[in-house]
Structures are given as C-alpha cells and as structure tokens.
Amino acid sequence: GHDATSHQIFQQMAVQGQSFLQAEGDADSWFNTALSFTSATGVEDDPYVTSVGGTSLTMNGSGASYASERVWNDGNTPPGWDGSGYVGSGGGISASYTIPSWQKGLDMSANRGSTTMRNFPDVAMAAENFVFVANGSTSTGGWGTSFASPLWAGFVALVNQEAAANGQPGVGFLNPALYALGTSADYTNSFNDMTVGSNATATSGGLYPAVPGYDLCTGWGSPKGSNLIHSLALPQRLVIAPNSA
C-alpha cells in the first residue's frame, strides 16, 4: 500500500467507530498518477477513509435555494495545483488496494471504474467560490477539495448529533452505509447525483466521466440535507415479525 502505518491507523479508527474524511486532490483525474503531488505517499485511495471529491454548485437567486451541481473541473490553469496544469476534482483507481466488499457489484462500465481495485472518491461537496477567514483576514475565491472534505466532516457531526438525540451510536466508518444507500431505493432522496461534467484532462483519455449513480469524480454525489442525515443517523432496523401462520 501507499502508507502501511496510516492504513493501520485508519483501520483502527474504523473499528473504534470514528469517521475519517479525506480530500481527494485538486488536479483532476488520477489516470496518470505521476501528475499527482500525492501519488507516492497519499492516503486518498485508502479503503478505510471516506474520500471527498469536488463539485461546482449553482444556486437560485442570491443563494435562495439549490439549483444544480456538476463536477468541479477548471481545466488547464497552469501551474495547476501540483504542477500538472490541471485544476479540478481528483478521483481514479487505486494501484495499491483491492476493491472493498462494499464497492463490489457496482456496474463500472459507464463510469470506467475498476471491478478489482479500490475506486475513489466516495462522495463530494462544493469545492469552489469560498469566502474564508485565515490569520484574521478575509479572502474570496477559495477552492479545493480541502474545503469539500471539512464540510463533509461538519455534516457528519450533524448526523452524530441527530443519532445521539435518538439514543443511537455515532455513524462511524461511513463507506458501507454510503454504498448501501447508494444502491438502495433511497439513493435519490439522500444524495444529489452529479451527472454533468468530468475530471478528465487532455492526457487522461476521457477518464473519468460523471454518470448516473456512482462515478470516479464525485462518488455518489453531495448530501441532500436532512434526508441523508436521517438515513445515516436513524438506519432502518431489521424487524423480525412473529410467525402469524
């Protein structure tokens, strides 16, 4: 693997019921991982992290309501984030980790993912046009999955708050639950599914496109507010009814 020590720590966190959200990178497709500044030591593809891609969010009016989202991809804007020239949501196929159990069985034909190796990211969130405060000064135009990932972490805190208020444990390691929801009838109620755009570059051979359902630029998509909070915080319990025959 990329980093055996980190991998072991992430496994331990999962067993302890902790969630770990990881920014996916800001240099578009990982088709050619030599272009990625984290290709040698990164943890973005570790199966025990929930990796977060980036979207471009459009609102109605001056932020009145949600309008649409697409894959965040600013194209070639040298020097790019890592010297590649490209800026946009990371994502791709791991060269180190085999496909986790919860990712098996997905149709990877349209999204051009792998049926044998770990695919990433898992989910996404807005990753551009941020106003942010650092060292006492306010800046505009912030971008990156390093915004999307902590936003997801904040969302998970709301999930855990809802769970605690209802006597439930924290959501813990997210990926099995996210993929179970993604393949369920509740998917479109729980996520905003990105189907427009890609994180492809001029050298990636069209990899990777946004498609309905799971893809390798925005995962399952962005959270659909309180619907996803309820789905994660208050999972449906298996009910065994007495035999009435």
Side-chain angles (χ1 to χ4, degrees), residues 111-206:
N111 65 28
R112 301 178 68 180
S114 173
T115 57
T116 59
M117 303 300 286
R118 157 76 153 136
N119 302 270
F120 58 97
D122 301 303
V123 289
M125 190 80 93
E128 64 173 357
N129 297 324
F130 285 97
V131 177
F132 62 99
V133 178
N135 298 323
S137 62
T138 302
S139 303
T140 60
W143 53 260
T145 54
S146 293
F147 283 94
S149 183
L151 283 173
W152 249 98
F155 179 82
V156 175
L158 296 176
V159 173
N160 287 338
Q161 187 176 44
E162 172 91 352
N166 288 274
Q168 299 296 322
V171 68
F173 178 47
L174 288 169
N175 293 358
L178 295 173
Y179 284 75
L181 279 172
T183 54
S184 76
D186 264 349
Y187 173 50
T188 54
N189 293 325
S190 301
F191 291 90
N192 300 303
D193 181 18
M194 263 30 77
T195 60
V196 177
S198 72
N199 59 6
T201 70
T203 60
S204 72

Side-chain angles (χ1 to χ4, degrees), residues 3-199:
D3 184 333
T5 302
S6 295
H7 183 61
Q8 187 175 15
I9 291 170
F10 295 140
Q11 282 181 304
Q12 183 176 340
M13 291 180 72
V15 170
Q16 291 171 177
Q18 293 166 283
S19 310
F20 193 99
L21 286 301
Q22 171 64 43
E24 207 34 59
D26 304 329
D28 281 326
S29 171
W30 283 50
F31 169 72
N32 179 356
T33 53
L35 295 179
S36 174
F37 77 107
T38 49
S39 61
T41 59
V43 297
E44 290 81 356
D45 60 342
D46 195 291
Y48 287 99
V49 307
T50 298
S51 60
V52 183
T55 70
S56 294
L57 170 64
T58 300
M59 299 292 284
N60 292 311
S62 53
S65 59
Y66 180 97
S68 64
E69 260 174 303
R70 58 176 292 147
V71 181
W72 171 54
N73 188 345
D74 288 346
N76 190 263
T77 54
W81 175 239
D82 62 351
S84 69
Y86 297 105
V87 171
S89 179
I93 298 168
S94 173
S96 305
Y97 298 109
T98 56
I99 192 167
S101 58
W102 34 264
Q103 207 169 56
K104 289 180 179 176
L106 296 180
D107 183 351
M108 299 292 190
S109 53
N111 65 28
R112 301 178 68 180
S114 173
T115 57
T116 59
M117 303 300 286
R118 157 76 153 136
N119 302 270
F120 58 97
D122 301 303
V123 289
M125 190 80 93
E128 64 173 357
N129 297 324
F130 285 97
V131 177
F132 62 99
V133 178
N135 298 323
S137 62
T138 302
S139 303
T140 60
W143 53 260
T145 54
S146 293
F147 283 94
S149 183
L151 283 173
W152 249 98
F155 179 82
V156 175
L158 296 176
V159 173
N160 287 338
Q161 187 176 44
E162 172 91 352
N166 288 274
Q168 299 296 322
V171 68
F173 178 47
L174 288 169
N175 293 358
L178 295 173
Y179 284 75
L181 279 172
T183 54
S184 76
D186 264 349
Y187 173 50
T188 54
N189 293 325
S190 301
F191 291 90
N192 300 303
D193 181 18
M194 263 30 77
T195 60
V196 177
S198 72
N199 59 6

